[in-house]
Amino acid sequence: MNITLRVWRQKGRGDEGRMVTYKVEDVSQDMSFLEMLDVLNEKLTLAGEDPVAFDHDCREGICGACGVVINGVAHGPETTTTCQLHMRSFKDGDVIDVEPWRAKAFPVIKDLVVDRGAFDRIIQAGGYISAPTGTAPDAHANPIPKADADRAFDAATCIGCGACVAACPNASGMLFTAAKVTHLGMLPQGQPERAARVVKMVNQHDEEDFGGCTNIGECAAVCPKGIPLDTISQLNKDLLGALASGKL
Amino acid sequence: MTELYIEGDPIRDEKAPEGPIEQRWDKRRFSAKLVNPANRRKLSVIIVGTGLAGASAAATLGEAGYQVSSFCYQDSPRRAHSIAAQGGINAAKNYRNDGDSIYRLFYDTVKGGDFRSRESNVYRLAQVSVEIIDQCVAQGVPFAREYGGLLDNRSFGGVQVSRTFYARGQTGQQLLIGAYQALERQVAAGTVKMHTRHEMLELIVVDGRARGIIARDMVTGEIETHFADAVVLASGGYGNVFFLSTNAMGCNVTATWRAHRKGALFANPCFTQIHPTCIPVSGDYQSKLTLMSESLRNDGRIWVPKKAGDQRDPRQIPEDERDYYLERIYPSFGNLVPRDIASRAAKNVCDEGRGVGPGGLGVYLDFADAIKRMGRPAVEAKYGNLFDMYQRITGENPYEVPMRIYPAVHYTMGGLWVDYDLQSTIPGLFVTGEANFSDHGANRLGASALMQGLADGYFVLPNTINDYLASGPFEKLDENTPEAKEAAESVRARINKLLSIDGNRTVDSFHRELGHIMWEYCGMERTEEGLRKAIERIRELRDEFWQNVKVVGTNDELNQSLEKAGRVADFFELAELMCIDALHRRESCGGHFRAESQTEDGEALRHDDEFAYVAAWEFTGTGEQPVLHKENLEYEYVEMKQRSYK
Ligand SMILES: Cc1cc2nc3c(=O)[nH]c(=O)nc-3n(C[C@H](O)[C@H](O)[C@H](O)COP(=O)(O)OP(=O)(O)OC[C@H]3O[C@@H](n4cnc5c(N)ncnc54)[C@H](O)[C@@H]3O)c2cc1C
Ligand code: SF4
Ligand code: FES
């Protein structure tokens, strides 16, 4: 099939950007979306034009590196990562808009590549369990009810892609933050730091220019890992509890 | 063959202590010099890589109080390729009480590696495996649990006990997130300085010691010089030399290859692992191959039609016209034979014209019986996310139609040569994880790479690097140090060269062609004739690359073609060495199958009298004869036998 792309081109951080139209011919149904962009880039390179920059690595939906807004939707029409989207989701003659994540906390570096360093800083603020190497008790010392372990696991599957932020009208990073708070907060090992963790992570979130959460739910709708919205309720509960207890 | 390489002096691992194998690690830890906590602050370590091997080491050395600088090419350390591991991690916990032990894990690994790994190293790996699970659970890694709240286990290819811990099909992700969080905790504590989107392009060696790296800031293009008292490479494997592999797109050999050019020996480069259960290639545009976890072989049955060229829908092919060839040839291990055996068996049936799917390059992995036996919900609970992934990629529903799988390059056992301390032949340069050659011999068992990466990073390196650092801090250096200046200049010159060729072919087109050559001649089956042809073609293509590649743009910006060009240039040099190594090893062992060396029924035939050694290669110049240094392998504990999984 033949596709028309309108792609956001921006030379560097702080430069003006604009949408540029390209035609891509002979696109196969079985190609992934990124493979289709590869084909475009091969063509551009041979013509001596700058290929479109986009982040990607595993191309298996797990590293969280990829992510663009396709026709206005973060990661495109299927609930999956951009790398796992295949061209069979489109049809011959389609015009497809391709843009970077747009959020103040994620400045564009070039074309479709953004800086998501803010997520790492939220983790630095408290998204861990302090367990220095070599100090651990036997893994079976502390059985964990399966239901809790499963809930923790569901939240832990977040890949840090940032689609939730891109989809949110407030550009809030709350689903990402809540996923980590829930993952660690559901586990017995996570209890000692639970109150301090949520407070520090939320503070960092706010410092990073993410917007506030007003419970719209666009984030969970695009999340490729199905992180549930109720993690945000969990975060709010933990936050209120922590603030009320005063034991930070 | 002597025209291709020169044989030099043998090499020895001087660090592994003698004596009973179970005491060696204790002895080494005791004999290694310690660094007093107050002095650690004055000592700096560069760690390239934030996968399991690098992130765990950075976190642990940071906790110990060293000044750590950590590098990765992705935008976040959490995205290192380890994230993609699906199946699980081994540990000799014997929680199942099924006869497992440290000794058995050691034995299985030595045997699985087809007697081309070191007993001392493997034993240590099995010993520390137990601590890894404890460490990860303490960090909050959500391993699969049973209803009683205890950890669940499964079995993996090549073994008969259940010792694999897992987190659904996302074990690597969960382990890496654990290590990443520990790393970020140290970043916050100020002991680790993180450099994301930085690519190491050269090693700095001063007075014979590794003293730093040259890295390119991938956003601004700045060429930066970083110094330290020791350098650790945890930069992963080089499977992408084949272009198509299950590795992430950015996986490369540059960090280790640059160190090799500066004097670090490269060991067993031809030992690559081809994984039997990947989704087959669907077209020319294909950019990578996707692995379906090997755990699928626990319940899925592998078959092809008995008749060559049978085009029927698989569901229409009656039982007695199917060949469950692994169950037939290897009745005691069946579908769970080690990877190299399963891969070659698939190639053989496809060579006979019995392959299925596009181009006849595929075999069925069928869950119909499992669904009948366990019920669909149980299959879904166990493998749901893998089935979904398969369906997303192929557009076929594996609950109804058998999956199609085909082997793909997956892992590289070869890597920089290291001693028992994980130190390379350049003092002060340590190598961990997939980047070193150490523990898997000629074939790695499933779920053992994650174990090795974390063993190296959490427990081994932090107990050996101190022995080296105890003699530091070393002389202070700055950018005017001649060796550093020279290294930075050579990096700039190479970048300028790549940008100025302005030829007619893209980097990817060269990479793809190189990959074809490697897959054809240095893949699942290797012959003297084929390898010689490959070497010739690699040299020609490399020459063409340096005259005809086209890299658009400049250095002073995010330039993904430039990044790729540098990596592919190094793959070209590595590819030649892989073929020379494969050619010189005139035996079949593990993942290395030389057609000239097989038993009557087509099984791999080792030649222990001639080849029971590690081949460690010294660089002498691009296209020049490398020098072979042999490290003899001795087996005191496990008797060297031909492997048999029948
Ligand atoms: C799809 C897949 C599934 C797998 N499943 C399993 C499994 O179930 N069980 C198992 O045991 N093993 C599995 N493996 C193997 C295992 O995942 C890897 O061997 C292991 O994770 C490698 O870890 P590492 O830390 O050595 O390197 P990696 O995780 O590859 O990390 C490499 C790091 O080095 C950095 N880097 C590389 N080059 C440079 C450079 N020049 N400059 C700066 N930084 C650089 C990267 O940014 C990255 O941070 C799997 C592998 C694949 C491909
Ligand atoms: S919560 Fe979902 S959308 Fe947001 S970063 Fe995590 S995986 Fe991506
Ligand atoms: S490239 Fe890794 S999630 Fe898409």
Side-chain angles (χ1 to χ4, degrees):
Chain A
M1 53 192 182
N2 297 326
I3 298 284
T4 302
L5 292 176
R6 293 193 303 205
V7 184
W8 182 260
R9 304 301 313 256
Q10 178 175 335
K11 188 97 184 106
R13 222 185 254 261
D15 289 332
E16 289 275 305
R18 64 196 172 97
M19 297 297 271
V20 178
T21 304
Y22 302 102
K23 299 242 181 271
V24 190
E25 277 134 34
D26 284 334
V27 173
S28 146
Q29 298 266 327
D30 289 328
M31 272 182 192
S32 71
F33 193 82
L34 298 184
E35 284 168 344
M36 183 271 297
L37 289 181
D38 290 343
V39 170
L40 169 67
N41 277 344
E42 289 286 284
K43 215 173 80 174
L44 290 176
T45 303
L46 288 176
E49 286 177 53
D50 202 19
V52 178
F54 58 91
D55 262 329
H56 66 105
D57 203 21
C58 72
R59 296 202 176 187
E60 283 190 16
I62 193 75
C63 75
C66 67
V68 293
V69 175
I70 300 168
N71 287 336
V73 182
H75 287 309
E78 315 281 343
T79 323
T80 181
T81 56
T82 303
C83 61
Q84 290 290 287
L85 176 65
H86 283 74
M87 293 312 290
R88 64 181 81 89
S89 301
F90 299 90
K91 49 182 199 313
D92 188 34
D94 274 0
V95 178
I96 308 173
D97 284 354
V98 190
E99 294 169 87
W101 289 168
R102 299 211 186 266
K104 206 161 155 209
F106 290 164
V108 173
I109 296 175
K110 180 175 180 180
D111 298 339
L112 306 172
V113 178
V114 301
D115 180 352
R116 286 170 290 199
F119 272 3
D120 286 337
R121 292 187 291 274
I122 293 177
I123 300 297
Q124 281 158 27
Y128 48 75
I129 289 172
S130 299
T133 307
T135 58
D138 185 85
H140 269 180
N142 210 343
I144 301 177
K146 189 167 175 2
D148 291 351
D150 285 350
R151 177 113 200 272
F153 188 95
D154 288 338
T157 58
C158 164
I159 56 175
C161 62
C164 44
V165 178
C168 175
N170 307 331
S172 170
M174 210 43 93
L175 192 63
F176 167 83
T177 311
K180 189 48 61 191
V181 165
T182 306
H183 160 206
L184 300 176
M186 284 302 112
L187 298 170
Q189 309 88 296
Q191 299 315 309
E193 292 163 302
R194 185 168 178 176
R197 175 182 308 121
V198 66
V199 174
K200 290 194 282 187
M201 288 179 74
V202 169
N203 280 342
Q204 188 65 36
H205 170 274
D206 295 348
E207 265 177 41
E208 293 288 350
D209 277 342
F210 289 107
C213 171
T214 51
N215 269 313
I216 301 170
E218 291 288 336
C219 51
V222 298
C223 174
K225 296 294 142 178
I227 302 296
L229 209 51
D230 70 11
T231 55
I232 298 185
S233 326
Q234 182 72 50
L235 176 143
N236 287 328
K237 212 156 65 193
D238 281 17
L239 185 61
L240 284 177
L243 294 172
S245 75
K247 54 171 186 194
L248 302 176
Chain B
M1 210 179 307
T2 43
E3 84 283 4
L4 285 171
Y5 69 93
I6 300 167
E7 188 162 339
D9 295 335
I11 181 174
R12 260 174 62 86
D13 166 20
E14 306 283 351
K15 299 283 178 43
E18 310 265 306
I21 198 160
E22 62 281 0
Q23 292 171 17
R24 291 181 192 166
W25 180 224
D26 266 352
K27 275 196 190 163
R28 179 59 194 139
R29 278 190 288 184
F30 187 71
S31 68
K33 283 178 255 155
L34 298 178
V35 179
N36 153 339
N39 287 338
R40 293 184 198 154
R41 241 175 292 129
K42 301 177 199 142
L43 290 159
S44 53
V45 181
I46 284 174
I47 301 181
V48 179
T50 59
L52 291 182
S56 56
T60 306
L61 294 177
E63 287 161 8
Y66 296 103
Q67 284 176 46
V68 178
S69 297
S70 177
F71 293 80
C72 68
Y73 69 74
Q74 294 91 346
D75 69 325
S76 165
R78 67 180 291 151
R79 308 202 202 283
H81 170 59
S82 295
I83 199 99
Q86 300 170 350
I89 177 166
N90 288 329
K93 280 286 198 186
N94 194 28
Y95 282 160
R96 302 279 112 180
N97 199 21
D98 56 2
D100 200 8
S101 62
I102 288 173
Y103 199 88
R104 188 179 296 281
L105 175 53
F106 155 71
Y107 177 91
D108 287 346
T109 308
V110 170
K111 177 182 170 209
D114 219 0
F115 302 94
R116 292 295 174 263
S117 53
R118 287 187 196 137
E119 282 190 335
S120 297
N121 282 57
V122 175
Y123 196 88
R124 173 177 66 190
L125 177 65
Q127 280 174 311
V128 305
S129 69
V130 180
E131 293 171 71
I132 295 172
I133 302 304
D134 301 341
Q135 178 61 29
C136 295
V137 167
Q139 290 170 341
V141 170
F143 285 118
R145 289 184 183 262
E146 299 178 314
Y147 285 97
L150 299 177
L151 298 170
D152 194 13
N153 291 113
R154 57 187 174 201
S155 68
F156 241 56
V159 299
Q160 289 169 312
V161 292
S162 272
R163 63 159 75 100
T164 305
F165 294 78
Y166 66 102
R168 285 188 212 155
Q170 287 130 278
T171 316
Q173 179 196 26
Q174 294 309 321
L175 295 174
L176 183 62
I177 295 298
Y180 155 76
Q181 288 169 188
L183 168 70
E184 294 294 358
R185 186 168 84 93
Q186 292 309 304
V187 172
T191 60
V192 176
K193 176 135 181 35
M194 187 66 230
H195 304 265
T196 58
R197 292 201 200 267
H198 273 68
E199 184 163 24
M200 166 186 167
L201 295 177
E202 197 51 275
L203 180 73
I204 301 173
V205 181
V206 181
D207 294 336
R209 293 177 191 274
R211 290 302 310 278
I213 63 169
I214 306 290
R216 179 173 177 271
D217 179 328
M218 295 158 74
V219 176
T220 64
E222 190 179 339
I223 304 301
E224 303 173 350
T225 306
H226 297 265
F227 295 110
D229 293 301
V231 177
V232 179
L233 300 184
S235 51
Y238 51 84
N240 274 351
V241 65
F242 290 87
F243 187 71
L244 286 183
S245 81
T246 62
N247 287 192
M249 302 299 287
C251 290
N252 68 89
V253 77
T254 291
T256 49
W257 191 258
R258 294 282 123 193
H260 174 56
R261 292 179 58 110
K262 285 275 166 97
L265 302 188
F266 208 114
N268 300 334
C270 81
F271 287 170
T272 41
Q273 179 165 81
I274 309 229
H275 196 291
T277 54
C278 303
I279 301 179
V281 174
S282 72
D284 295 337
Y285 48 80
Q286 188 113 11
S287 58
K288 75 156 283 169
L289 295 170
T290 302
L291 173 79
M292 301 302 294
S293 168
E294 169 165 55
S295 61
L296 292 168
R297 289 202 273 145
N298 276 316
D299 293 299
R301 297 179 69 196
I302 295 178
W303 63 276
V304 289
K306 283 190 174 155
K307 210 165 63 221
D310 192 333
Q311 298 288 343
R312 281 176 290 176
D313 179 318
R315 289 165 294 187
Q316 246 72 100
I317 301 180
E319 272 305 304
D320 62 344
E321 293 180 42
R322 301 174 174 196
D323 180 11
Y324 295 90
Y325 57 90
L326 289 177
E327 297 169 25
R328 172 172 59 80
I329 310 173
Y330 305 101
S332 64
F333 279 71
N335 293 298
L336 290 176
V337 291
R339 293 175 174 177
D340 52 328
I341 293 181
S343 292
R344 223 156 35 72
K347 176 181 167 12
N348 291 341
V349 295
C350 293
D351 286 351
E352 291 161 22
R354 298 195 286 146
V356 299
L361 293 176
V363 300
Y364 291 123
L365 175 61
D366 198 336
F367 281 83
D369 285 353
I371 292 171
K372 230 180 278 160
R373 178 167 43 89
M374 307 156 62
R376 181 166 163 163
V379 172
E380 238 178 89
K382 226 167 157 181
Y383 304 114
N385 64 322
L386 296 170
F387 278 41
D388 291 349
M389 179 160 82
Y390 181 85
Q391 180 156 19
R392 221 175 297 119
I393 293 173
T394 61
E396 291 171 8
N397 180 353
Y399 292 102
E400 282 160 18
V401 193
M403 288 182 178
R404 283 175 298 108
I405 55 169
Y406 198 65
V409 173
H410 177 60
Y411 182 86
T412 50
M413 280 75 69
L416 291 184
W417 186 90
V418 288
D419 63 16
Y420 190 67
D421 280 2
L422 304 181
Q423 185 165 214
S424 73
T425 47
I426 301 178
L429 180 71
F430 293 78
V431 192
T432 59
E434 193 173 340
N436 74 24
F437 89 107
S438 73
D439 297 352
H440 308 293
N443 175 53
R444 173 175 71 76
L445 291 181
S448 285
L450 301 183
M451 168 172 73
Q452 184 221 335
L454 290 180
D456 286 0
Y458 282 134
F459 299 108
V460 180
L461 183 80
N463 284 294
T464 59
I465 198 169
N466 39 292
D467 187 64
Y468 178 79
L469 288 171
S471 30
F474 302 107
E475 187 198 348
K476 248 192 129 30
L477 306 173
D478 64 34
E479 294 188 9
N480 294 319
T481 307
E483 291 86 345
K485 238 170 138 166
E486 196 267 339
E489 273 321 308
S490 72
V491 166
R492 283 197 193 93
R494 202 163 109 107
I495 289 175
N496 290 341
K497 169 87 183 152
L498 288 168
L499 288 168
S500 64
I501 297 168
D502 195 25
N504 296 314
R505 282 182 71 177
T506 62
V507 176
D508 273 1
S509 89
F510 281 106
H511 192 181
R512 209 179 284 269
E513 188 173 341
L514 175 66
H516 276 306
I517 299 174
M518 293 302 283
W519 179 247
E520 182 70 27
Y521 300 114
C522 200
M524 267 186 284
E525 188 173 305
R526 300 148 176 198
T527 65
E528 161 122 25
E529 197 196 338
L531 289 163
R532 284 185 183 280
K533 199 181 296 171
I535 292 170
E536 224 171 276
R537 288 190 48 194
I538 291 165
R539 289 179 175 167
E540 285 165 15
L541 194 63
R542 185 171 61 213
D543 288 344
E544 190 196 336
F545 174 85
W546 283 105
Q547 283 165 31
N548 197 24
V549 74
K550 187 172 185 83
V551 183
V552 182
T554 67
N555 177 54
D556 308 325
E557 61 181 327
L558 185 89
N559 187 336
Q560 293 172 325
S561 314
L562 178 62
E563 293 159 15
K564 269 194 281 191
R567 294 173 193 155
V568 172
D570 289 332
F571 279 141
F572 270 119
E573 297 190 0
L574 165 76
E576 181 175 333
L577 186 66
M578 288 171 72
C579 292
I580 292 175
D581 186 42
L583 189 59
H584 111 282
R585 193 173 278 280
R586 291 181 321 277
E587 67 161 348
S588 298
C589 58
H592 171 63
F593 188 81
R594 279 289 298 267
E596 300 92 339
S597 182
Q598 49 182 308
T599 62
E600 269 171 24
D601 43 4
E603 297 296 331
L605 185 62
R606 287 198 326 263
H607 295 297
D608 294 335
D609 46 337
E610 271 184 276
F611 291 103
Y613 62 79
V614 175
W617 298 93
E618 180 186 340
F619 182 81
T620 56
T622 308
E624 303 286 327
Q625 295 157 297
V627 181
L628 170 64
H629 300 274
K630 295 179 182 172
E631 179 198 333
N632 255 332
L633 292 168
E634 274 150 35
Y635 292 88
E636 294 171 63
Y637 290 84
V638 186
E639 193 200 338
M640 291 178 98
K641 287 193 283 213
Q642 276 310 330
R643 282 191 310 174
S644 168
Y645 290 89
K646 291 212 160 156

